[in-house]
Amino acid sequence: MKNQYDLLNGSSVDFDEYEEIELTASEKKRMKKRLKHDIKSTRKKARPLIAAAVLLLAVTPVMMQNETVWASVARIGQQIELLMNKPEGSFSGYKKTVNETATDQGIQVKVNELMLDDGQVLLGLTISADEFRRTALGLNRDAPIRPGELRVQIGNMSFFDSASSIREEPIKNKDRSWNYLYALKLTQADTNGDGKIDVEGYNVLDHIDPNKNYQISAQFTSLEFEKNPAQTKSGNYRDSYGEIKGNWTVHTSVNGSKIIADTKVYPLNKEIPINEKGIKGVLSIKEVRVSPVSIKLHYTFTSSTGSIRNGTNVGVKIKDQNGRDLSESGSGGGTDRVLEMDEEYRNDKGVVMLRFVPYVSDYENDSSKDLTSDAFNLKVNNN
């Protein structure tokens, strides 16, 4: 099946055909929230700079490829694996069946499954609303209600205002409810209960006791929906979406012993000098973490000559032993001189070797150069 991003190659947009609209501060804030979910990107809000092209390397809905998946579509919200294109039951022992529903304002958010992964928590959700509420919202008949902002508390630690991604089932349920896989990065934490983030770059698996069960709550403070076009007076995109404030909270418990035992951390500590396309500096690759769910890479680039803001990007791609590109999503930020990135890749059990290939790309000229002389390999234990 052809990669969906390849379909965009060769396309063009004439920006002169579009009206330039100045947004207010509140509109910009709302648009930012829409982008986070609809583009399904991941990002770090605490950094001032992020390359837009990176945001587009987002987690995408699973492609329906065979009769087995079609037959299982009704269980997607209850099977995290299916929305990750994994065989059913692949994550047995890691995930927990919850089947708890929170209701507010006639809208139900049901958490079917929950799974703790390296640096993130994943929720299998079903969202539904009664007919009265859908009519009151002016909801388009086939339009879904989507999950919005999520706050997670594990023990005494609260996680929010972090990067998130949503995968939406392409087929709605017969009762007009929708299934989602919601992933929230557990990288920004409130440790003292004052409601403010005081720890960044947090890694939850490094701070929990594998012999302990932790109480965990998942609280959605907002939901989002697309309005019925007939009830949108202006016809503008900004007026076509609504937000529902409320409290949809589900409580359960979690134990991280198995995911901790099966997550491998490989220190790399590579320092690679870069001198390409007017950019000179050092690419530092700290480590790679391999869990049963994901592969995560952390690296920074510090420029001594040239600005990272001018359209040139320095990064690292990962390939497997067969040369297959594993790129999936990334988040990060920085300044004119320093770029910090966290890349995430979907883990396939067949991966036994990772090949790290530094690259330099020029967005203005739509070109990229792989620095193959600086590439290196790592054997991984991916049982």
Side-chain angles (χ1 to χ4, degrees):
M1 181 175 291
K2 191 174 182 63
N3 187 302
Q4 58 185 320
Y5 297 113
D6 290 340
L7 299 176
L8 298 175
N9 292 338
S11 62
S12 62
V13 177
D14 184 1
F15 291 98
D16 292 333
E17 294 181 1
Y18 296 87
E19 177 186 359
E20 183 175 346
I21 302 174
E22 183 67 22
L23 300 178
T24 65
S26 61
E27 288 170 337
K28 289 178 181 178
K29 182 179 180 180
R30 185 167 180 176
M31 183 69 76
K32 183 190 259 186
K33 292 172 70 176
R34 290 299 315 164
L35 287 173
K36 181 177 70 173
H37 297 300
D38 283 352
I39 299 179
K40 303 181 183 66
S41 64
T42 55
R43 59 186 175 137
K44 285 183 179 177
K45 294 183 182 178
R47 300 290 190 266
L49 172 65
I50 178 68
V54 175
L55 291 176
L56 295 177
L57 293 175
V59 181
T60 56
V62 64
M63 296 293 185
M64 297 299 168
Q65 297 178 6
N66 53 50
E67 293 180 1
T68 301
V69 175
W70 278 110
S72 303
V73 72
R75 301 195 305 276
I76 285 183
Q78 300 176 3
Q79 293 290 340
I80 288 176
E81 294 94 330
L82 295 181
L83 267 176
M84 299 184 73
N85 206 17
K86 292 276 192 177
E88 188 172 352
S90 299
F91 297 142
S92 296
Y94 301 108
K95 65 181 183 178
K96 179 174 182 177
T97 300
V98 180
N99 286 338
E100 295 290 338
T101 301
T103 302
D104 191 3
Q105 304 173 62
I107 303 173
Q108 295 79 42
V109 175
K110 182 181 179 183
V111 178
N112 303 301
E113 293 183 335
L114 180 145
M115 184 167 64
L116 189 64
D117 182 32
D118 183 29
Q120 64 182 342
V121 64
L122 298 98
L123 305 175
L125 306 171
T126 300
I127 299 180
S128 57
D130 57 44
E131 194 64 32
F132 176 81
R133 186 57 180 166
R134 294 177 66 89
T135 301
L137 289 172
L139 198 64
N140 207 348
R141 178 174 178 82
D142 294 323
I145 297 177
R146 300 184 179 95
E149 296 295 327
L150 174 63
R151 299 172 67 98
V152 169
Q153 182 159 339
I154 303 176
N156 296 323
M157 303 285 288
S158 295
F159 302 90
F160 53 92
D161 203 29
S162 297
S164 63
S165 63
I166 301 173
R167 302 186 193 194
E168 180 179 323
E169 176 192 339
I171 306 296
K172 72 175 183 291
N173 299 320
K174 290 182 178 179
D175 63 359
R176 296 171 65 191
S177 64
W178 290 84
N179 297 325
Y180 301 93
L181 176 63
Y182 192 109
L184 178 73
K185 300 292 185 184
L186 303 179
T187 54
Q188 300 192 142
D190 170 16
T191 62
N192 56 18
D194 65 355
K196 299 178 181 179
I197 296 296
D198 50 61
V199 176
E200 297 180 21
Y202 189 86
N203 195 296
V204 66
L205 294 193
D206 294 341
H207 294 85
I208 63 175
D209 184 346
N211 300 312
K212 181 178 178 181
N213 290 327
Y214 290 84
Q215 294 300 308
I216 179 171
S217 67
Q219 178 191 26
F220 285 96
T221 58
S222 69
L223 303 176
E224 300 175 356
F225 65 95
E226 183 177 357
K227 296 178 183 177
N228 190 324
Q231 298 185 24
T232 303
K233 296 180 180 180
S234 68
N236 292 335
Y237 176 87
R238 69 180 72 160
D239 295 328
S240 299
Y241 292 88
E243 181 179 58
I244 311 162
K245 293 288 187 179
N247 181 2
W248 295 267
T249 304
V250 169
H251 301 273
T252 185
S253 62
V254 67
N255 182 288
S257 58
K258 186 168 176 58
I259 192 71
I260 290 173
D262 293 344
T263 297
K264 309 294 188 302
V265 181
Y266 300 91
L268 299 176
N269 297 318
K270 293 282 187 178
E271 301 285 333
I272 301 174
I274 303 293
N275 188 4
E276 295 282 343
K277 298 182 181 293
I279 290 290
K280 187 175 182 180
V282 176
L283 177 65
S284 301
I285 308 175
K286 180 183 177 183
E287 66 181 19
V288 64
R289 303 173 66 101
V290 181
S291 83
V293 180
S294 58
I295 299 170
K296 295 183 175 66
L297 175 68
H298 178 83
Y299 62 86
T300 60
F301 175 70
T302 304
S303 172
S304 58
T305 302
S307 171
I308 302 174
R309 291 182 186 269
N310 66 3
T312 301
N313 180 51
V314 178
V316 182
K317 63 178 68 173
I318 295 183
K319 299 178 179 291
D320 68 4
Q321 67 274 7
N322 298 316
R324 181 172 56 113
D325 195 338
L326 300 180
S327 294
E328 182 135 322
S329 66
S331 62
T335 66
D336 280 343
R337 299 295 183 183
V338 179
L339 176 67
E340 182 178 359
M341 289 297 300
D342 289 289
E343 302 281 358
E344 182 176 333
Y345 315 86
R346 184 171 58 197
N347 186 6
D348 292 326
K349 287 295 185 179
V351 175
V352 296
M353 187 197 76
L354 300 176
R355 180 166 178 79
F356 302 84
V357 184
Y359 67 87
V360 177
S361 61
D362 185 340
Y363 298 133
E364 291 185 0
N365 297 319
D366 193 24
S367 63
S368 181
K369 178 181 179 181
D370 289 348
L371 307 180
T372 54
S373 61
D374 293 309
F376 60 96
N377 300 334
L378 174 70
K379 291 184 178 180
V380 296
N381 180 9
N382 198 13
N383 296 325

